[in-house]
């Protein structure tokens, strides 16, 4: 947990607490591993959130149920062992340079020596990037993660995350909601090349400027799923039978099905053989 990524950069406590949603999702993914540990310094509460307030100043602050939940979750994380500074691996006497700043005695240097990643807070310097840390003539590349999408991209396979879980993380803050994707029809059924095609198409889907441009994209063929009868309706016996189901393609044969709610598309099923799509 990167204490250097809290240096008073937030304009308000509310802004900081709302930014925690991405952090807590990352914490949850790490903790879901059988050997998942999050190391931090023992006095993390001294980190500055705004220019005037530290984490230790936030005890009475939250004024809404949502902000209170976020703060409680962060408090729990900060008070959970292990604390790396009680048994540090890196050499406090050495110099660990990052962009002209010596990072000795920080999580940046410790992560470099351990060969581990940083879990960082929302900041221009540390959000979702690779840090080139120099010690003597050696360079360490330290991955600094803020969003769950970047965590899944960098470590999803190593962590053994299922593909559907990776999709949920990868697109958590986009117009694509993968939280309802049914495992029976999920990404786990795809071949490696097919999964790559899916990711390429979903990335394209979320990069579009608007729903209008999505509708005009001939490659996606985003349109209403309209089977001619109840027998041919893939969703007739599901809880989504009254939804306006839409579909789009990610190869000549394969399709994604779901429905739009507000500004997000809820992905429900992935079809490999086009049999359902042929009938609607």
């Amino acid at each position: 947990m990167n204490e250097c990524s809290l240096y008073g950069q937030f304009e308000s406590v509310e802004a900081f607490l709302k930014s925690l949603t991405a952090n807590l999702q990352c914490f949850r993914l790490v903790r879901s591993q059988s050997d998942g540990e999050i190391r931090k310094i023992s006095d993390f509460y001294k980190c500055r959130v705004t220019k005037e307030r530290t984490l230790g100043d936030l005890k009475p602050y939250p004024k809404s149920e949502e902000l209170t939940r976020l703060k409680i979750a962060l408090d729990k994380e900060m008070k959970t062992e292990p604390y790396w500074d009680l048994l540090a691996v890196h050499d406090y006497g050495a110099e660990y340079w990052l962009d002209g700043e010596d990072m000795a005695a920080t999580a940046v240097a410790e992560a470099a020596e351990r060969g581990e990643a940083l879990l960082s807070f929302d900041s221009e310097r540390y959000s979702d990037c690779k840090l080139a840390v120099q010690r003597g003539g050696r360079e360490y590349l330290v991955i600094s993660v803020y969003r769950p999408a970047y965590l899944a991209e960098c470590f999803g396979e190593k962590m053994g995350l299922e593909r559907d879980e990776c999709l949920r993380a990868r697109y958590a803050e986009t117009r694509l909601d993968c939280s309802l994707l049914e495992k029976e029809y999920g990404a786990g059924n795809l071949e490696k090349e097919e999964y790559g095609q899916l990711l390429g198409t979903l990335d394209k889907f979320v990069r579009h400027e608007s729903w209008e441009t999505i509708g005009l994209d001939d490659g996606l063929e985003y349109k209403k799923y309209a089977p001619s009868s109840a027998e041919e309706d893939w969703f007739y016996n599901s809880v989504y039978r009254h939804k306006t189901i839409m579909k789009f393609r990610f190869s000549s044969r394969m399709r994604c099905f779901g429905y739009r709610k507000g500004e997000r598309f809820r992905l429900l099923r992935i079809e490999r053989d086009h049999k359902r799509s042929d009938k609607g």
Side-chain angles (χ1 to χ4, degrees), residues 159-251:
M159 293 170 68
L161 297 179
E162 292 186 357
R163 286 176 175 174
D164 291 354
E165 181 72 38
C166 287
L167 292 181
R168 285 191 286 273
R170 186 183 183 102
Y171 301 107
E173 299 177 71
T174 71
R175 66 159 53 92
L176 187 62
D177 179 0
C178 299
S179 63
L180 299 179
L181 182 58
E182 299 175 15
K183 186 173 184 178
E184 182 180 356
Y185 308 107
N189 299 314
L190 302 177
E191 299 293 336
K192 184 176 181 179
E193 182 179 349
E194 294 171 341
Y195 182 58
Q197 290 176 300
L198 174 67
L199 292 180
T201 299
L202 297 184
D203 286 349
K204 177 184 179 183
F205 187 87
V206 300
R207 284 198 305 266
H208 262 284
E209 294 181 3
S210 65
W211 292 101
E212 288 71 22
T213 60
I214 288 175
L216 294 171
D217 189 323
D218 293 335
L220 289 175
E221 287 192 359
Y222 178 75
K223 58 186 178 181
K224 184 178 178 181
Y225 172 57
S228 59
S229 66
E231 289 77 14
E232 295 178 341
D233 187 347
W234 199 13
F235 295 88
Y236 182 72
N237 291 319
S238 78
V239 296
Y240 308 110
R241 60 184 179 276
H242 299 305
K243 300 291 185 182
T244 299
I245 302 296
M246 306 294 290
K247 63 178 183 176
F248 60 90
R249 69 180 184 178
F250 64 97
S251 81

Side-chain angles (χ1 to χ4, degrees), residues 5-129:
S5 62
L6 281 179
Y7 46 87
Q9 73 268 32
F10 291 93
E11 293 185 0
S12 67
V13 172
E14 291 94 335
F16 165 67
L17 291 172
K18 289 178 180 178
S19 78
L20 287 179
T21 300
N23 295 111
L24 297 178
Q25 288 174 338
C26 288
F27 298 162
R28 180 183 62 80
L29 288 172
V30 173
R31 292 290 187 194
S32 71
Q33 307 304 296
S34 58
D35 58 350
E37 287 188 337
I38 300 176
R39 311 178 202 277
K40 74 285 291 181
I41 57 173
S42 51
D43 58 355
F44 207 96
Y45 62 91
K46 293 181 179 179
C47 294
R48 285 184 296 123
V49 174
T50 67
K51 292 180 180 179
E52 296 81 21
R53 293 180 183 270
T54 66
L55 287 173
D57 296 327
L58 303 188
K59 288 184 179 180
Y61 195 86
K63 299 178 181 179
S64 73
E65 185 176 341
E66 178 189 11
L67 297 183
T68 299
R69 285 199 301 269
L70 291 173
K71 182 185 171 297
I72 289 173
L74 179 62
D75 283 347
K76 182 178 179 181
E77 195 59 56
M78 287 194 301
K79 295 174 181 176
T80 304
E81 293 185 355
Y83 299 109
W84 67 259
D85 56 335
L86 302 183
L87 193 62
V89 169
H90 82 275
D91 183 357
Y92 275 52
E95 296 177 338
Y96 294 81
W97 294 100
L98 175 64
D99 300 331
E101 181 180 357
D102 183 8
M103 307 303 295
T106 72
V108 175
E110 187 70 9
E113 285 291 359
R114 287 181 179 269
E116 297 177 349
L118 291 168
L119 290 173
S120 297
F121 294 84
D122 190 13
S123 65
E124 184 176 350
R125 187 180 191 183
Y126 293 106
S127 289
D128 300 334
C129 61

Side-chain angles (χ1 to χ4, degrees), residues 96-99 108 130-134 138-142:
Y96 294 81
W97 294 100
L98 175 64
D99 300 331
V108 175
K130 293 180 180 178
L131 307 173
V133 181
Q134 309 284 337
R138 181 178 177 184
E139 180 177 274
Y140 304 80
L141 282 181
V142 178

